Amino acid sequence: MTAEYQVHGDVAVITLANPPVNGLGLSTRQGIVDGLAKAEADAAVKAIVITGAGGAFSGGADIKEFGTDKSLQEPNLHSVINAVENAGKPVVAAIHSVCMGGGLELALGCHYRIAAPGCSVALPEVKLGILPGAGGTQRLPRVVGVEAALNMIVSGEPVKSEMIGAVPGQKLFDKMAASAESLAAEALAFAKSVADVRPLPLVRNLPCKHPEGDAYFQFARNMVKGMAKNFPAPAKCVDAVEAATKRKFADGLAFERELFINLMWTPESRALRHLFLAERAASKIPDVPSDTPKRDVQKVGVIGAGTMGGGISMNFLNAGIPVTILETKQEALDRGVATIRKNYEAQVKKGKLKQEKYEQRMALLSTTLSYDDLKDVDLVIEAVFEEMGVKEAVFKQLDAVAKPGAILASNTSTLDVDQIASFTKRPQDVVGMHFFSPANVMKLLEVVRGKATAKDVLATVMAIAKKIKKTAVVSGVCDGFIGNRMIERYSQQAGFLLDEGCTPQQVDKAIEKFGFAMGPFRMGDLAGNDIGWAIRKRRAVEQPDMKYSKTADLLCEMGRFGQKTGAGWYDYQAGKRDAIPSDVVNKMIEDHRKALGVTPRKVSDEEIVQRLVYALVNEGAKILEEGIASKSGDIDMVYLTGYGFPIHRGGPMHYASEVGLFNVVESMKRFAKNPLDDARAWTPAPLLAKLAAEGKAFQ
Ligand code: 3H9
């Protein structure tokens, strides 16, 4: 049982004990009901307190139980809350730390609530694509008012208990405890003080009205429509709260339940729940236990003051960690520091950063031209030119000066981390830290594990990633790691689509309609088309039979590198980022088709999306079976946080499983027959073929 029962004098205390956050799984729900029954049966007990052990009152329904039989088994959360409401003795919720979702709904079912300051209170279900399904939309408006409740329910954002407690007239908390430490004693005393009160107060009996009902809810619907875009849940939250103001409590509750169940089955909710679990799972490395000792990182060195080096440095400065940037020339250092300043000043101007904070961050930054000044840093990240010879020189020098135990990281996006490690006498301390541009903004960090990388180095880097607010995903060593290796297949298809009859804008539009933040050609223009060009030239030597559309090379030969040269796949007006379809480029593509002897055909948006996305999926499956990624959720996290894959689709691997892997493979077989395509690229990865044949999904 994951709830404990104790009696203190004449008060029974039921303590939820289901780490890490006292999720209301079956065994905890059963524990509450059993505890209530015991307390009711014991004549010596006059009142009951429900609280949570450890760092939470409760984080809500157990997300890991969703979709399993356990979530359906009695007692469900409704039955638990009914049992609390119908108890013959007062039930007091003693709330601390985290009180969210079903946890808050449970508390709202209690007769009284006492809260410690500093507790995060929320109905965050909307972030999982659902709405509060155990009375939250009906009870919260009755205690904090309709508008405050709707804001909390639609945003899912936590509010601090002391803020709610300070609002005049609020009925969520009957009492605020002086501190988290005194909560237990204060809750017992409070329970004693209300032991004889009858009838017992119930939130469901409080009135729920909005003075300008229809107009207010119309306004709320319009607001939500603009914000929610691809997600149905926020609009349903408005419907449910409106029902609280217009229907009888029991009818409102039934309506909320119906909406909750319908939302639970939407692909958007499945995608968001997958994202929640995948994000947390990504931080765990199967063979690196969570209690692996970590190295102390107090000072960081960054080699290279270019765009990447500057962005990387800002992450650490933002987290209060001193950074020393090393360059070969003073001018390069000055330019780099000026860019960092400019970025911070822009944030100050927009009111996103206080002047004082900006100064504090800049005070943590130092610069040097000498490797000797890196001798006491704990972590050094190299962000120099992407060429093995340059990396070799850097790592040899680092090896010579860095203190024992310092972590030596490379920001390489494609090169072999094992080879880089071999330039040092301490390959166990070498790791890849692949940031994405702009490095101070993008959430993704690929942590590249070399064959010699020590476990404590990995554990340290994962912890540091959390500190600098990155989503870290571990990748093995291969060309392009997880993200760039897959994007190559996607770009290959984008190129073939041009050869076959599409324009760049048609391809971009189709995939942007699917939900990508940016299509492949707008993305190429933003990142710089010359980067892919350099990689293709290298590949041409390594893989001479590689098949791809030559339009990308022709574009670069025209000097159209993208936004930075004012022209790429699109035209750009000076100082603007709007992509304008280019006649010159369209003509280049047409001429190329003629040279190939291709008669252009009309390609449907559906085919465009399938080819681009399934190309990612097939490569993802290879990455998974080679062990480059340890879980399919890791691949999804890379694409959701680093490549603009639509959140409501849950990442390429999750999306493929939703479509059905059998269907994916059937489409791939069709694409393989296209003579203008690369049939080899469409040979299903053995893992994909196996799962498809077995009717299974990616795990
Ligand atoms: C709901 O309640 C539905 C009802 O309305 C109706 C039902 C009928 N369940 O985030 P962290 C785990 S829907 C199970 O890294 P933090 C999490 O997976 C639910 N597990 O820590 C991780 O486990 P692991 C509404 C949960 O300190 C560990 O806790 N509630 C749950 O940064 C640590 O998580 C929510 O949506 C859960 N409900 O933040 C709350 N919550 O170590 C969502 C967390 O094995 N949760 N875990 O990977 C959160 O917002 C944050 O996790 C929280 C802690 C603020 C609680």
Side-chain angles (χ1 to χ4, degrees), residues 362-377:
M362 286 310 291
L364 294 171
L365 180 64
S366 58
T367 59
T368 182
L369 297 170
S370 162
Y371 274 86
D372 281 345
D373 289 331
L374 298 182
K375 62 179 183 300
D376 62 347
V377 298

Side-chain angles (χ1 to χ4, degrees), residues 633-654:
D634 285 2
I635 298 175
D636 287 333
M637 286 318 299
V638 166
Y639 266 77
L640 292 166
T641 56
Y643 292 83
F645 198 95
I647 305 279
H648 67 287
R649 311 269 187 195
M653 310 310 272
H654 175 84

Side-chain angles (χ1 to χ4, degrees), residues 18-25 29 55-56 58-66 71 76-78 81 97-105 120 122-128 130-136 156 158 256-257 260 264 273 276-277 279-284 466:
N18 186 18
V21 297
N22 299 324
L24 297 166
R29 299 195 302 267
S58 170
D62 191 337
I63 297 169
K64 290 167 191 157
E65 245 183 33
F66 283 174
S71 69
N76 63 29
L77 197 49
H78 278 268
I81 294 171
S97 316
V98 167
C99 178
M100 293 189 175
L104 179 54
E105 292 174 301
S120 295
L123 286 177
E125 286 85 345
V126 73
K127 294 185 179 178
L128 301 172
I130 50 177
L131 51 65
E256 176 201 80
R257 180 107 188 116
F260 172 80
M264 196 63 128
R273 284 181 274 140
F276 179 87
L277 295 174
E279 188 171 12
R280 281 147 187 88
S283 64
K284 298 183 177 69
K466 200 166 183 186

Side-chain angles (χ1 to χ4, degrees), residues 255-451:
F255 181 61
E256 176 201 80
R257 180 107 188 116
E258 187 189 321
L259 296 177
F260 172 80
I261 291 168
N262 290 342
L263 285 170
M264 196 63 128
W265 287 103
T266 58
E268 292 82 3
S269 173
R270 281 198 294 271
L272 288 175
R273 284 181 274 140
H274 167 69
L275 169 61
F276 179 87
L277 295 174
E279 188 171 12
R280 281 147 187 88
S283 64
K284 298 183 177 69
I285 311 170
D287 64 331
V288 180
S290 57
D291 58 356
T292 302
K294 292 167 194 70
R295 300 187 188 182
D296 199 20
V297 177
Q298 302 279 354
K299 282 186 192 165
V300 170
V302 173
I303 313 229
T307 315
M308 254 349 235
I312 292 170
S313 302
M314 286 177 74
N315 286 302
F316 292 96
L317 299 175
N318 297 349
I321 301 171
V323 175
T324 303
I325 307 186
L326 179 141
E327 259 296 351
T328 48
K329 294 209 170 68
Q330 188 60 44
E331 304 86 87
L333 273 181
D334 294 343
R335 252 196 324 271
V337 173
T339 307
I340 294 177
R341 270 194 187 287
K342 214 172 91 193
N343 283 339
Y344 279 139
E345 277 161 10
Q347 289 178 21
V348 172
K349 227 180 193 168
K350 285 186 200 149
K352 289 184 178 165
L353 181 70
K354 292 216 168 83
Q355 177 73 22
E356 176 193 323
K357 273 254 158 90
Y358 156 49
E359 281 159 19
Q360 280 167 7
R361 289 177 189 183
M362 286 310 291
L364 294 171
L365 180 64
S366 58
T367 59
T368 182
L369 297 170
S370 162
Y371 274 86
D372 281 345
D373 289 331
L374 298 182
K375 62 179 183 300
D376 62 347
V377 298
D378 306 296
L379 163 69
V380 54
I381 303 168
E382 157 282 304
V384 301
F385 191 65
E386 192 73 345
E387 200 196 272
M388 200 49 103
V390 185
K391 307 278 185 197
E392 180 173 0
V394 167
F395 275 81
K396 283 191 166 153
Q397 293 189 75
L398 280 178
D399 195 26
V401 298
K403 67 181 184 187
I407 297 174
L408 311 183
S410 170
N411 178 51
T412 180
S413 56
T414 50
L415 298 177
D416 183 345
V417 171
D418 289 327
Q419 196 181 345
I420 293 176
S422 75
F423 301 137
T424 72
K425 289 184 216 64
R426 39 175 132 180
Q428 72 282 359
D429 296 338
V430 177
V431 66
M433 286 178 79
H434 178 211
F435 289 83
F436 287 70
S437 188
N440 52 319
V441 177
M442 294 293 287
K443 286 279 286 172
L444 178 62
L445 174 67
E446 274 182 330
V447 173
V448 186
R449 177 180 193 169
K451 53 176 190 279

Side-chain angles (χ1 to χ4, degrees), residues 406-602:
I407 297 174
L408 311 183
S410 170
N411 178 51
T412 180
S413 56
T414 50
L415 298 177
D416 183 345
V417 171
D418 289 327
Q419 196 181 345
I420 293 176
S422 75
F423 301 137
T424 72
K425 289 184 216 64
R426 39 175 132 180
Q428 72 282 359
D429 296 338
V430 177
V431 66
M433 286 178 79
H434 178 211
F435 289 83
F436 287 70
S437 188
N440 52 319
V441 177
M442 294 293 287
K443 286 279 286 172
L444 178 62
L445 174 67
E446 274 182 330
V447 173
V448 186
R449 177 180 193 169
K451 53 176 190 279
T453 308
K455 289 186 181 177
D456 66 336
V457 167
L458 281 170
T460 307
V461 170
M462 296 306 275
I464 277 283
K466 200 166 183 186
K467 202 163 185 181
I468 61 172
K469 300 197 168 79
K470 297 287 171 198
T471 302
V473 176
V474 176
S475 169
V477 175
C478 67
D479 198 343
F481 315 128
I482 298 173
N484 284 344
R485 174 169 157 183
M486 285 167 67
I487 207 77
E488 237 182 78
R489 293 293 161 203
Y490 169 93
S491 305
Q492 183 193 32
Q493 284 303 316
F496 290 150
L497 286 163
L498 299 186
D499 290 352
E500 290 171 39
C502 295
T503 59
Q505 50 275 26
Q506 188 195 348
V507 175
D508 281 350
K509 258 198 181 147
I511 199 77
E512 285 164 15
K513 206 163 128 208
F514 174 77
F516 263 81
M518 228 183 248
F521 298 107
R522 286 213 296 139
M523 176 67 101
D525 279 358
L526 180 69
N529 296 308
D530 50 329
I531 298 172
W533 196 27
I535 295 173
R536 283 193 300 280
K537 282 180 188 162
R538 172 160 66 82
R539 293 277 156 72
V541 181
E542 294 164 3
Q543 304 164 29
D545 61 340
M546 182 176 61
K547 197 172 168 192
Y548 66 95
S549 164
K550 299 291 179 295
T551 50
D553 293 349
L554 295 171
L555 185 83
C556 289
E557 283 164 21
M558 292 159 81
R560 299 182 68 107
F561 293 164
Q563 287 187 19
K564 62 185 171 189
T565 54
W569 292 105
Y570 295 91
D571 292 333
Y572 296 91
Q573 285 171 349
K576 293 202 175 151
R577 286 171 181 269
D578 303 316
I580 304 163
S582 164
D583 291 341
V584 181
V585 171
N586 288 342
K587 166 113 186 18
M588 176 272 283
I589 296 169
E590 274 165 31
D591 289 347
H592 180 60
R593 266 184 223 130
K594 278 185 199 145
L596 291 176
V598 172
T599 311
R601 71 178 172 99
K602 179 148 180 29

